[in-house]
Amino acid sequence: MTTLITGATGFIGRHLAAALTAQGNPVLALMRRPDRLQTLRRRIDDLGGDGKLLAGMAGDLDLPALGLQGEPPDINVVVHLGATFAWGLDPRAARRTNVDGALAVAELARRNGARLVMISGFMMENNAHLQRLGISPDDPDGADWRRVYTRAGAYEASKLEGALRVRAFANRHGMQLIEVQPATVAGHSVSGELDPAQPLFSLIDNLAHGRFAMVPGTPAHWLPLVSVDGLAALIAAAVLAQTVPERLLALDPDTPNLAGLLAGIAAELDRKPPTRHIPIALLAGLLKIPGMPRLMNTSAESLHFLQTTRFNTSVTAAFLEAQGLKWAPMEDSVRASAAYWRSHSQAQSAVAGEHLHLRRH
Ligand SMILES: NC(=O)c1ccc[n+]([C@@H]2O[C@H](COP(=O)([O-])OP(=O)(O)OC[C@H]3O[C@@H](n4cnc5c(N)ncnc54)[C@H](OP(=O)(O)O)[C@@H]3O)[C@@H](O)[C@H]2O)c1
């Protein structure tokens, strides 16, 4: 049984490819740069997987029909992780990759009669948020998407639109679709490995550099998290299990509130945690001032993910239990992520020092 993964070179994709190949399952990675297959194989070996079970196939979410050449590959499951993931994206570019690209992946799964495991995001289950944006989940055509892209930012809007349009496509064609909806991803629960491009890495970096003078929101605000290894194990189970719920909300309900999260990180980094709160609306206003996002190393778009909403995770909990899986305690993943940030920044400083030394001689 071969699983095609889009986004296998990304943070979650590498851990998923490692989890699947570690259990002896072949993986085919759709890659913009298939010449990087050997590098990816080594990274997957380093993560405890089996790089020999990984093959690559050239493809690009931005090209018509993914730019695939020749016969479609023989695959049983398609996991769609590939996406443009950043703040301040151009709406047209975000839409091309995250909406049109997702639909092209769904079409590939349909042609192969493959199960499609679509990775959306936990905001798909925040009904009040969807309502505020004017989105009715059963009617993607009814939303004023131009307005949604302006209000939510192009990344989040394109992820919501892509997921809803893929749901409608799968419904129309009677396909098997499983949607995994991850919270913000934390580092590995043991090694703490966390890609520097991840939002939690920036949050740790901001705290370490004193850019968090106050806690955004109120004591009820939290940033729901899931560890990357817990998420990879959940997606692997969604690939391999016979019976899987249609939607899996990948979110650890025991994630501490934002003040607790910042305190946990601060303790690991030997910093003083912020204790006073700043209203989200005020922070969002500050971030509209030119130069502020750069100074504060964040974007108003990222504030949407801080919230007071609590989610029903009972379906995922039952599936995890049936699969013999369990989330590792979130404090461990947070502590490990902060420790990883420290060793990563020390290594970066050592490299910078080495360059300076070489330049001086
Ligand atoms: N990380 C989170 O906190 C989080 C939370 C909720 C949902 N998600 C979703 O989970 C998925 C993976 O996230 P991640 O954190 O692993 O992202 P990531 O590290 O940024 O990886 C993105 C992946 O998408 C690929 N990609 C981007 N544009 C492409 C294109 N035009 N054609 C083919 N591949 C393309 C990248 O390939 P290249 O190597 O070629 O760039 C990379 O493999 C995304 O759909 C994201 O929206 C993430």
Side-chain angles (χ1 to χ4, degrees):
M1 161 154 151
T2 296
T3 303
L4 174 87
I5 305 181
T6 69
T9 51
F11 181 49
I12 304 170
R14 296 193 295 271
H15 283 269
L16 173 64
L20 284 170
T21 57
Q23 296 174 50
N25 302 290
V27 166
L28 180 60
L30 181 103
M31 299 174 80
R32 284 194 279 196
R33 298 277 311 266
D35 55 308
R36 295 190 176 158
L37 180 63
Q38 287 309 333
T39 311
L40 182 58
R41 282 183 170 150
R42 277 195 296 276
R43 295 194 84 167
I44 280 160
D45 287 339
D46 291 345
L47 293 174
D50 183 353
K52 289 193 300 300
L53 289 176
L54 183 83
M57 175 175 84
D60 189 328
L61 295 167
D62 291 344
L63 295 177
L66 305 171
L68 298 182
Q69 307 285 333
E71 282 296 295
D74 189 16
I75 39 178
N76 314 74
V77 182
V78 175
V79 181
H80 181 45
L81 277 158
T84 299
F85 183 21
W87 311 132
L89 291 173
D90 168 57
R92 264 174 311 186
R95 210 172 172 280
R96 190 176 58 222
T97 313
N98 298 349
V99 181
D100 298 341
L103 284 166
V105 172
E107 168 61 14
L108 177 68
R110 188 197 65 77
R111 269 195 289 145
N112 279 267
R115 172 186 291 185
L116 175 60
V117 180
M118 166 85 189
I119 314 303
S120 61
F122 77 107
M123 296 298 260
M124 291 289 287
E125 293 303 312
N126 186 334
N127 293 322
H129 180 66
L130 296 183
Q131 226 166 35
R132 272 193 301 274
L133 291 173
I135 299 171
S136 154
D138 299 325
D139 179 21
D141 287 332
D144 178 351
W145 286 106
R146 193 188 288 264
R147 188 165 160 262
V148 177
Y149 276 70
T150 309
R151 288 190 60 190
Y155 167 69
E156 193 200 334
S158 61
K159 286 294 295 182
L160 294 172
E161 186 182 2
L164 291 177
R165 295 214 182 274
V166 166
R167 269 189 208 171
F169 179 91
N171 255 336
R172 237 182 0 259
H173 295 283
M175 290 169 60
Q176 190 191 9
L177 170 68
I178 295 158
E179 193 180 310
V180 179
Q181 304 166 317
T184 296
V185 180
H188 190 280
S189 58
V190 178
S191 69
E193 200 244 337
L194 183 61
D195 195 303
Q198 291 292 310
L200 188 70
F201 192 97
S202 307
L203 185 147
I204 299 172
D205 196 66
N206 283 344
L207 183 72
H209 288 103
R211 295 185 206 107
F212 257 115
M214 287 192 254
V215 184
T218 65
H221 278 84
W222 68 315
L223 176 67
L225 295 175
V226 61
S227 69
V228 71
D229 48 321
L231 175 59
L234 179 74
I235 302 174
V239 167
L240 300 170
Q242 281 255 299
T243 315
V244 186
E246 277 180 12
R247 283 180 212 158
L248 288 165
L249 181 55
L251 175 160
D252 187 339
D254 293 331
T255 306
N257 69 357
L258 189 56
L261 172 68
L262 295 174
I265 296 167
E268 180 61 37
L269 300 180
D270 223 1
R271 302 284 202 284
K272 239 177 101 180
T275 49
R276 292 194 5 240
H277 286 82
I278 175 170
I280 297 267
L282 180 57
L283 191 53
L286 285 174
L287 285 167
K288 287 202 182 114
I289 300 171
M292 273 310 224
R294 181 187 266 262
L295 199 67
M296 294 166 82
N297 191 30
T298 193
S299 149
E301 278 179 55
S302 68
L303 299 177
H304 297 148
F305 297 89
L306 306 175
Q307 51 201 287
T308 53
T309 308
R310 291 277 149 183
F311 297 83
N312 180 350
T313 52
S314 57
V315 171
T316 307
F319 180 66
L320 286 172
E321 197 182 339
Q323 295 299 313
L325 298 170
K326 208 169 166 231
W327 300 136
M330 187 44 76
E331 312 88 76
D332 292 355
S333 307
V334 169
R335 209 175 307 121
S337 303
Y340 180 85
W341 174 90
R342 190 180 43 231
S343 52
H344 182 272
S345 53
Q346 281 165 355
Q348 294 288 98
S349 313
V351 170
E354 188 64 28
H355 279 163
L356 199 65
H357 180 77
L358 288 176
R359 244 187 284 148
R360 283 205 181 119
H361 289 85

